[in-house]
Amino acid sequence: MMNSSSHGSPSLVDREAALVRVGGDKELLHEIAQIFLEDYPKSLADLRDAGTRGDANRVERTAHGLKGAAANFGAQPVVDAALTLEKMGRQHDLSGFTAALGALERTLSQFKHELEEL
């Protein structure tokens, strides 16, 4: 059964998997969601800056951190979008950076709304 968000599209947050990761503690899950919501804009800004400067190592590290944080919520589309950027950084090939960053930003936008509802 696929989860649906209140926006009608498939949910990015796997609530069951996320709750399992925090031992069923809904309050802790809410706290982790709030921390992500506070932190991810800075990570996006860092990614954008690193890509603009051609700093592949920083792109890799920052995308890796975002990937891990999104994985806590079972948000596979966000994980996949961040992984694309992480691989670009690791391979020192930022030629598709702008498109990949745009895809991550669109996915994070939906993810943000879902986390706000947790």
Side-chain angles (χ1 to χ4, degrees), residues 25-45:
D25 187 336
K26 290 181 181 179
E27 184 64 31
L28 179 57
L29 183 61
H30 177 75
E31 288 177 30
I32 293 169
Q34 293 309 307
I35 291 167
F36 183 90
L37 289 169
E38 290 171 16
D39 289 351
Y40 94 88
K42 180 184 183 312
S43 294
L44 269 183

Side-chain angles (χ1 to χ4, degrees), residues 73-93:
F73 302 96
Q76 198 59 46
V78 179
V79 169
D80 292 344
L83 179 60
T84 297
L85 285 160
E86 181 183 354
K87 286 178 179 176
M88 286 180 175
R90 188 177 310 124
Q91 296 165 356
H92 292 267
D93 179 4

Side-chain angles (χ1 to χ4, degrees), residues 14-78:
D14 183 337
R15 282 183 169 80
E16 288 179 31
L19 275 170
V20 167
R21 283 187 178 91
V22 295
D25 187 336
K26 290 181 181 179
E27 184 64 31
L28 179 57
L29 183 61
H30 177 75
E31 288 177 30
I32 293 169
Q34 293 309 307
I35 291 167
F36 183 90
L37 289 169
E38 290 171 16
D39 289 351
Y40 94 88
K42 180 184 183 312
S43 294
L44 269 183
D46 287 350
L47 259 179
R48 194 174 298 112
D49 182 62
T52 300
R53 295 173 185 266
D55 186 342
N57 292 328
R58 197 163 128 217
V59 167
E60 178 184 3
R61 282 193 315 272
T62 307
H64 179 79
L66 263 174
K67 181 186 78 176
N72 288 323
F73 302 96
Q76 198 59 46
V78 179

